[in-house]
Amino acid sequence: MEQEKVNGSKELSADAASYRCSACHGDEDWALGHPIRGRAKSRSLSASPALASTREFRRTRSLHGPCPVTTFGPKACVLQNPQSIMHIQDPASQRLTWNKSPKSVLVIKKVRDASLLQPFRELCTYLMEQNNMIVYVEKKVLEDPALVSDDHFGPMKRRFCTFREDYDDISNQIDLIICLGGDGTLLYASSLFQGSVPPVMAFHLGSLGFLTPFNFENFQSQVTQVIQGNAAIVLRSRLKVRVVKELCGKKLAVPNGVSEHGMLATALDAELGKQVMQYQVLNEVVIDRGPSSYLSNVDVYLDGHLITTVQGDGVIVSTPTGSTAYAAAAGASMIHPNVPAIMVTPICPHSLSFRPIVVPAGVELKIMLSPEARNTAWVSFDGRKRQEIRHGDSISITTSCYPLPSVCVRDPVSDWFESLAQCLHWNLRKRQAHFPEDEGGDEAGDGDEEGGSGS
């Protein structure tokens, strides 16, 4: 859970990156839970219709979440915690600004897609020549045969900075991320940053595009607005997942430290001889029965208490962002990304009364194989790093303090409902015909009130 210290200053940092939300740092009274007396400072909106339309919806303070001075009646209040409070940002107030002008940008392109080569060339040329920015790309992107044989693009290739996944750490070198492709490019960008994530601007050039709201036709003006700090953002919470495995037949004493990239942790104080891996997950953690024909049988703990045993094909633990992905297909509700929550959704449960649940974002879930489980289980993280879970292994899941800041076309609420309508066709149906003006509605409408077809 994102936690902020109340220090009486006029700024609240979103996290350790070089960006912050700018609409809520104009009054010290706001940090103490009092209504703001004046308007917060913010950058002026440009003439762009998409951005200008958000002016009337921008509020100046958070409307949600516990407040450190809240009282309940004359004698009751929330137990004071001098260290930190839970801060839940008002979606309408989330605006991007820069402490310093961004200089380096990571461009992520969907691989093995020839249709993206021209947009990739245009974007990189614009970033380098018009904005004088340093452009990072994955090494295999420049090894595409179509780019290798492009004589016009050849001289520019020498200006790129390249990296290799799982080998090179670029987390402290990137100011902005631009994705070209589908939703998978955003998930891939999340996996590259196991700590603080730079703002992400995602262009819809893939098959679905629920998480990629921008169209590429006007990319120059849109990219310029983001570089200038004139954009709304949605903070997509991620899951911090910790996998602890028993080392078969070995008890190794290894130095302290946990890998943030899902590699073998070199140890934990109380878990010497165990393999520890850690992941940051944007969509969901999926625990399933794998190739076995038996039901999966895993125990789910919440803050140390056993809450249920999952018998079925598996269980999905997802963020609100992931609620519109695998969880929605398994029957869960769709939750806006700004809602602080974790979803637990069974996959084809053996009990028909096992419905999906939503738990607070601050809790810790722990999943282990049940003692009576007939087979092992398998786990994957945003569809990647799939591995087997055996008896004695555990998966701990809680909300990460490093969200993914996704740049909006308009604002977090409008973009989300637009994606529901355009990508998932949410509540799409043929409109009911209206009554003619010369006919009464009471008699003709009886069939609809009793469950008629309404057509």
Side-chain angles (χ1 to χ4, degrees):
M1 171 58 61
E2 182 73 25
Q3 294 182 336
E4 303 288 351
K5 293 186 178 181
V6 178
N7 56 11
S9 68
K10 294 187 178 182
E11 293 182 356
L12 291 177
S13 173
D15 58 22
S18 60
Y19 65 91
R20 66 181 187 273
C21 281
S22 64
C24 292
H25 50 82
D27 279 79
E28 293 180 355
D29 282 343
W30 180 88
L32 297 176
H34 297 294
I36 282 186
R37 298 187 179 96
R39 291 196 54 84
K41 299 177 182 178
S42 62
R43 290 181 179 267
S44 61
L45 292 175
S46 70
S48 170
L51 292 174
S53 63
T54 64
R55 183 191 300 273
E56 58 191 279
F57 298 107
R58 291 177 62 188
R59 293 184 285 267
T60 57
R61 63 188 178 90
S62 174
L63 304 180
H64 313 282
C67 171
V69 295
T70 297
T71 58
F72 306 98
K75 295 184 178 179
C77 65
V78 176
L79 180 64
Q80 298 297 304
N81 183 349
Q83 298 299 321
S84 61
I85 63 168
M86 182 170 66
H87 171 68
I88 305 170
Q89 187 79 31
D90 178 2
S93 70
Q94 293 176 178
R95 305 292 299 178
L96 173 67
T97 188
W98 300 94
N99 293 325
K100 297 180 180 179
S101 298
K103 296 298 182 183
S104 59
V105 57
L106 169 63
V107 177
I108 297 178
K109 184 185 78 69
K110 183 180 179 182
V111 296
R112 297 186 298 275
D113 191 338
S115 66
L116 297 182
L117 294 178
Q118 186 59 31
F120 175 74
R121 293 188 190 96
E122 294 178 8
L123 175 64
C124 294
T125 301
Y126 175 72
L127 292 171
M128 290 182 178
E129 297 184 354
Q130 301 297 323
N131 292 278
N132 196 28
M133 299 188 76
I134 302 171
V135 178
Y136 286 76
V137 296
E138 194 171 5
K139 186 176 181 180
K140 63 183 179 183
V141 170
L142 297 183
E143 295 173 351
D144 190 302
L147 290 178
V148 172
S149 60
D150 188 338
D151 296 333
H152 298 287
F153 195 68
M156 183 170 293
K157 287 192 296 183
R158 292 189 290 270
R159 299 175 59 184
F160 283 98
C161 293
T162 61
F163 72 97
R164 296 171 298 169
E165 184 186 7
D166 293 333
Y167 286 93
D168 302 315
D169 182 12
I170 59 172
S171 57
N172 293 323
Q173 303 174 38
I174 304 300
D175 299 326
L176 173 67
I177 304 172
I178 299 179
C179 296
L180 302 177
D183 293 344
T185 58
L186 194 69
L187 296 174
Y188 178 67
S190 173
S191 70
L192 294 176
F193 293 84
Q194 296 297 304
S196 178
V197 187
V200 181
M201 185 179 189
F203 286 94
H204 172 37
L205 293 167
S207 56
L208 183 60
F210 191 90
L211 304 178
T212 54
F214 286 91
N215 292 320
F216 195 75
E217 286 76 12
N218 302 316
F219 80 93
Q220 293 186 357
S221 61
Q222 293 172 329
V223 170
T224 298
Q225 288 174 345
V226 173
I227 292 175
Q228 294 174 349
N230 187 10
I233 60 172
V234 56
L235 299 180
R236 299 184 178 275
S237 64
R238 299 195 294 174
L239 298 175
K240 182 176 74 173
V241 186
R242 188 163 163 273
V243 180
V244 180
K245 290 187 174 183
E246 296 280 357
L247 290 178
C248 299
K250 293 183 179 180
K251 294 294 181 181
L252 301 177
V254 283
N256 287 334
V258 178
S259 169
E260 292 286 347
H261 299 280
M263 303 300 291
L264 173 65
T266 47
L268 287 180
D269 292 341
E271 295 172 344
L272 296 179
K274 293 186 178 182
Q275 183 181 8
V276 181
M277 293 164 286
Q278 189 162 298
Y279 305 90
Q280 298 282 336
V281 177
L282 179 61
N283 259 2
E284 72 274 303
V285 180
V286 178
I287 298 95
D288 61 72
R289 60 190 176 94
S292 172
S293 59
Y294 294 111
L295 295 175
S296 68
N297 199 335
V298 295
D299 293 334
V300 180
Y301 296 83
L302 191 149
D303 286 341
H305 302 282
L306 178 65
I307 58 171
T308 193
T309 297
V310 179
Q311 294 186 88
D313 283 351
V315 63
I316 305 166
V317 180
S318 61
T319 64
T321 294
S323 71
T324 50
Y326 194 177
S333 295
M334 295 182 289
I335 300 179
H336 189 276
N338 276 106
V339 177
I342 299 175
M343 301 185 63
V344 181
T345 306
I347 307 172
C348 298
H350 200 252
S351 170
L352 296 180
S353 63
F354 193 172
R355 311 308 302 161
I357 61 172
V358 179
V359 298
V363 304
E364 182 180 63
L365 294 169
K366 188 173 183 179
I367 300 176
M368 303 179 66
L369 273 180
S370 298
E372 62 271 17
R374 295 181 177 182
N375 58 292
T376 62
W378 288 76
V379 62
S380 61
F381 314 93
D382 282 342
R384 296 161 58 89
K385 308 290 185 182
R386 185 169 171 82
Q387 54 196 269
E388 191 173 15
I389 299 298
R390 301 177 179 274
H391 286 284
D393 301 343
S394 67
I395 305 168
S396 299
I397 305 170
T398 190
T399 300
S400 170
C401 61
Y402 299 110
L404 184 143
S406 180
V407 181
C408 302
V409 173
R410 290 182 175 85
D411 61 80
V413 175
S414 299
D415 281 17
W416 191 67
F417 279 99
E418 181 72 13
S419 294
L420 288 182
Q422 296 298 323
C423 300
L424 301 185
H425 307 294
W426 178 62
N427 198 28
L428 182 64
R429 67 181 294 273
K430 186 177 180 180
R431 291 284 185 177
Q432 187 180 44
H434 67 280
F435 291 120
E437 294 181 359
D438 56 347
E439 293 185 11
D442 294 338
E443 295 81 2
D446 289 344
D448 289 351
E449 294 295 330
E450 297 298 328
S453 64
S455 60

